[in-house]
């Protein structure tokens, strides 16, 4: 990131809304969104920006594939996900100040959009 002069990365923290506790252990690959930055000792934080809507649940039910076990677990968990938070992850080089500043700015903007 330093060589490329990239200060921060904004990316998803997870592939979907939260899973049930028992299903989370069946989907270990989903931690790759956050685990990579932890292993690299980068500063990172997750901030909610919206929530799962009834329309999100309906769209997933109608269009999300169920071609393998992984997809089936995600699709099944999504049935009860309305209202759960959807977040974004902010990642930076090992310096929390920039990450926290951007998260604070995102939270302030979100409050304007979703009072």
């Amino acid at each position: 990131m330093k060589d490329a002069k990239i200060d921060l990365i904004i990316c998803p923290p997870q592939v979907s809304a939260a899973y049930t506790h028992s299903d989370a252990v069946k989907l270990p690959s989903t931690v790759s969104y956050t685990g990579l930055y932890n292993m690299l000792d980068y500063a990172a934080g997750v901030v909610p920006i919206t929530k799962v809507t009834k329309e999100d649940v309906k769209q997933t039910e109608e269009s999300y594939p169920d071609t393998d076990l992984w997809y089936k677990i995600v699709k099944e968990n999504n049935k009860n996900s309305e209202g759960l938070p959807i977040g974004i992850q902010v990642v930076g080089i090992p310096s929390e100040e920039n990450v926290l500043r951007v998260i604070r700015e995102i939270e302030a903007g979100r409050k304007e959009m979703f009072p």
Side-chain angles (χ1 to χ4, degrees):
M1 285 177 64
K2 286 181 181 179
D3 291 345
K5 295 184 175 35
I6 296 173
D7 295 325
L8 295 167
I9 298 171
I10 297 178
C11 55
Q14 175 109 343
V15 297
S16 73
Y19 310 116
T20 61
H21 193 308
S22 61
D23 282 341
V25 298
K26 297 175 188 172
L27 302 167
S29 61
T30 62
V31 301
S32 64
Y33 286 74
T34 55
L36 171 65
Y37 301 113
N38 284 310
M39 289 188 308
L40 294 172
D41 197 29
Y42 279 31
V46 175
V47 59
I49 57 167
T50 190
K51 294 181 179 182
V52 176
T53 65
K54 197 178 280 192
E55 180 61 32
D56 294 332
V57 173
K58 180 182 175 193
Q59 186 176 4
T60 301
E61 182 62 32
E62 292 173 354
S63 63
Y64 201 74
D66 55 4
T67 54
D68 63 32
L69 181 59
W70 194 91
Y71 287 133
K72 288 177 185 177
I73 292 170
V74 172
K75 190 171 183 175
E76 183 63 30
N77 272 276
N78 190 66
K79 291 178 182 177
N80 300 312
S81 66
E82 184 179 348
L84 291 176
I86 300 293
I88 57 173
Q89 180 175 209
V90 180
V91 179
I93 58 174
S95 169
E96 291 86 11
E97 293 84 11
N98 281 342
V99 170
L100 292 173
R101 180 183 52 79
V102 169
I103 286 175
R104 186 175 57 239
E105 290 175 13
I106 291 169
E107 286 177 325
R110 185 196 68 220
K111 288 177 184 171
E112 290 176 14
M113 294 176 4
F114 304 104

